[in-house]
Amino acid sequence: MMLEDVLKAPDTRRRGVKTESYQAYNEDLSDVGKVAGVVSGHAQKTAIVCSGGGVRSAYAIGALHALAEVHGITQPAIGVASSGGAAPLLYYLCGLFDHMHKWPDQCAERAFYTPLRFWRPLDIDYLVDHIYKDSVPDLPERLTHTSCDFFIAATEYETGTRGWFTRDDIPHIYEALRATKAVVGMYGKTVNVQGTEYVDGSFSADTNALIEKAYAESAERVIVIDNSAGLPRDIPYAQHTLRLYSHILPQQAGVLMRRFADRTETALPTEYAPLIISRKETLAVRHVFDTNRARMHQAVQEGWEDTSALTL
């Protein structure tokens, strides 16, 4: 099945986008989600994990669409995500694929990212308020009709510790999305949610930490969409650059940046056996701020192709 054929099909023929009300759509899915994540014939408690990765998370759009359309996984029991992977996960749970496929065009606008705006190259407010909220103003209500227990990572600014936004935070989910994407040094400010200041989730939760959370929530089958594979932080000179950059940031922001540059990958117990979905070749989107329109669309296609080819 080709992604372009799915996108051209009438809405009534697509699992992820229905013409009837979203309440009815999610009610149809709720029984699946309530029976311990039974999907695609698997009587296992399934978790979907979406890593961070900035604009590279375009890969997750295609991968999540394929999980729903090709593999029939629409309401996992558990969802865990951070930073760039958070919005794709939440929109996936609501079946909002048409909206996600518009993101590459919307994120290509300079209003979202431009290095010429040196004081705030990455405008997360534009992303949340104009791309997310304007197009889907009722996301909180839609999420109440899903059955998945989700966990969105964010970093508490003052302590550097990891926090989690959950279903309890649905009423202020847009601020949760703003917080998990508040990249230190690029967005230029913290996000206050319920009295706590937060920054990007990736500064306290790498991909393995997200996987660990899924298993801690009693997941039996964990499917991971890894948008971060091959990020330049793993290259020594990039770590040195991040450390140098940290010295021109405000004190606490600099501390968080240095921790991010120096951290080692979270160790997973040997008994954990998640299924990792990631691009074996180089992902079309070259880095976390590569907002080239064509490359973002290509990354969506790559996520679809890699996930469609799996046997789940």
Side-chain angles (χ1 to χ4, degrees), residues 120-141:
R120 186 176 298 153
L122 191 67
D123 193 342
I124 299 301
D125 295 333
Y126 178 82
L127 178 68
V128 173
D129 295 330
H130 297 286
I131 296 179
Y132 296 161
K133 193 184 293 187
D134 282 357
S135 62
V136 188
D138 56 351
L139 182 62
E141 186 178 357

Side-chain angles (χ1 to χ4, degrees), residues 46-49 76-81 89 93 148-152:
T46 299
I48 303 297
V49 173
I78 300 163
V80 186
L89 175 70
L93 294 176
C148 176
D149 287 326
F150 62 79
F151 303 87
I152 306 298

Side-chain angles (χ1 to χ4, degrees), residues 145-165:
H145 292 277
T146 65
S147 56
C148 176
D149 287 326
F150 62 79
F151 303 87
I152 306 298
T155 303
E156 294 188 13
Y157 183 68
E158 293 300 330
T159 64
T161 55
R162 186 184 312 140
W164 298 100
F165 295 112

Side-chain angles (χ1 to χ4, degrees), residues 234-256:
D234 299 326
I235 303 171
Y237 74 78
Q239 292 180 269
H240 294 316
T241 301
L242 290 174
R243 286 190 61 82
L244 287 172
Y245 181 50
S246 72
H247 292 291
I248 67 171
L249 297 174
Q251 182 176 1
Q252 182 58 16
V255 169
L256 294 177

Side-chain angles (χ1 to χ4, degrees), residues 91-135:
Y91 277 57
Y92 153 76
L93 294 176
C94 297
L96 295 168
F97 297 107
D98 274 0
H99 290 279
M100 287 199 286
H101 284 288
K102 295 175 184 176
W103 291 349
D105 294 319
Q106 295 168 322
C107 289
E109 299 296 328
R110 286 192 174 184
F112 171 54
Y113 173 74
T114 174
L116 299 177
R117 190 176 54 233
F118 61 88
W119 63 94
R120 186 176 298 153
L122 191 67
D123 193 342
I124 299 301
D125 295 333
Y126 178 82
L127 178 68
V128 173
D129 295 330
H130 297 286
I131 296 179
Y132 296 161
K133 193 184 293 187
D134 282 357
S135 62

